[in-house]
Amino acid sequence: SACLFNLDTDMDGTPDAGEQMGEGWSDFYALVIGTDADNTGSDIRGMSPYINGEDANGRGIRVFPYSTDMSINPQTYNDIANASVPHGVGAVWNAMIWDMYWAFVDLYGFDEDLFDGTGGNNLSLRLVMDGMKMQPCSPGFIDGRDAILAADLANNNGDNQCLIWEVFAKRGVGFDAEQRFANNRNDGQESYESLPECIKELKITKNMTAIVNAGDDIDVILRVTNHKDEAVTDVVVTDIFP
């Protein structure tokens, strides 16, 4: 019952300003229940705009309204460093899983049946719910992302791994992102890179001794990786030493 509390790990008498995303899940469920087949991901969806006396296009009680359009909601992982706790931090998390929701709807369609439907809305809702069951207590954003990826492996044989990676990478929780301590919202590192296997390209990288003195041995590593779905032949790699 205490898995989503911000714990007082530094023992200063107040909860730490960590990456607790509980308010994001709350917003997500509210948005899902209020969504129908006429909505699109780029729509402006404010959280409770009526409280502020706004119309349906108001931003509501969050800093930004929710939308898959980055010009409407530009929030990324780095924004949690200056966000309020827990509401602001949670809003950044929901921006990510709301993007995922619509990526699934775009791929699998929308099913009006919230209980027994098989549309992208149903699939994404199940992944978010099952991800919460699979993540550790006191999770951070990368814990949450990895739990959703694990839920997709369990539920769908991993059919949507690349889609999920691309969605999270869009807002800074990509392959090289670092969470570090979940109880600290200031020590994360963004990455906008998807899982390498999901980028269907032939990739060539080079690592070389950085500083070379006369007579030194030089270590050069050229790595060629094929992440295309088909075999690649007649590849010639030419490298020039400085």
Side-chain angles (χ1 to χ4, degrees):
S1 62
C3 268
L4 294 183
F5 287 169
N6 280 320
L7 303 178
D8 180 19
T9 56
D10 57 9
M11 305 298 288
D12 67 351
T14 59
D16 297 329
E19 295 191 14
Q20 200 273 96
M21 303 99 81
E23 294 293 336
W25 283 297
S26 299
D27 286 3
F28 178 77
Y29 293 121
L31 290 175
V32 166
I33 291 171
T35 297
D36 58 37
D38 294 329
N39 292 123
T40 65
S42 60
D43 288 347
I44 295 174
R45 298 290 298 276
M47 183 50 54
S48 305
Y50 64 90
I51 292 177
N52 295 340
E54 301 168 336
D55 64 19
N57 290 320
R59 70 177 177 87
I61 57 177
R62 305 294 181 236
V63 175
F64 295 96
Y66 292 115
S67 173
T68 59
D69 186 338
M70 294 291 285
S71 69
I72 296 172
N73 187 318
Q75 292 183 299
T76 66
Y77 188 30
N78 275 353
D79 287 315
I80 68 173
N82 298 309
S84 64
V85 177
H87 297 85
V89 171
V92 178
W93 173 248
N94 184 47
M96 298 177 185
I97 56 177
W98 189 234
D99 283 356
M100 187 187 78
Y101 175 91
W102 283 105
F104 271 78
V105 170
D106 290 343
L107 182 60
Y108 295 108
F110 185 91
D111 196 320
E112 294 277 8
D113 185 347
L114 290 180
F115 294 95
D116 300 308
T118 58
N121 52 322
N122 307 96
L123 293 173
S124 59
L125 178 60
R126 172 55 62 189
L127 289 181
V128 171
M129 180 67 77
D130 288 349
M132 293 183 73
K133 302 173 186 177
M134 302 179 81
Q135 68 196 9
C137 275
S138 302
F141 278 52
I142 290 179
D143 293 325
R145 177 204 67 192
D146 290 349
I148 289 174
L149 287 164
D152 180 60
L153 286 170
N155 294 351
N156 311 308
N157 296 316
D159 290 345
N160 307 291
Q161 296 286 287
C162 287
L163 181 152
I164 295 168
W165 274 107
E166 289 164 7
V167 166
F168 278 98
K170 170 186 171 183
R171 293 191 184 267
V173 188
F175 181 68
D176 293 319
E178 294 186 20
Q179 174 182 290
R180 300 188 175 99
F181 294 103
N183 65 324
N184 185 348
R185 65 193 165 117
N186 296 291
D187 65 348
Q189 175 179 299
E190 283 191 343
S191 166
Y192 292 90
E193 295 296 321
S194 183
L195 183 71
E197 288 83 350
C198 296
I199 303 172
K200 303 301 183 180
E201 297 174 349
L202 182 73
K203 300 160 189 172
I204 303 175
T205 60
K206 173 181 176 179
N207 291 300
M208 181 175 172
T209 304
I211 299 175
V212 181
N213 296 309
D216 286 353
D217 289 336
I218 303 171
D219 292 324
V220 180
I221 299 174
L222 295 174
R223 180 172 286 106
V224 183
T225 307
N226 179 27
H227 284 145
K228 293 185 176 184
D229 292 328
E230 66 277 358
V232 179
T233 58
D234 298 323
V235 176
V236 178
V237 179
T238 303
D239 183 47
I240 300 175
F241 291 86

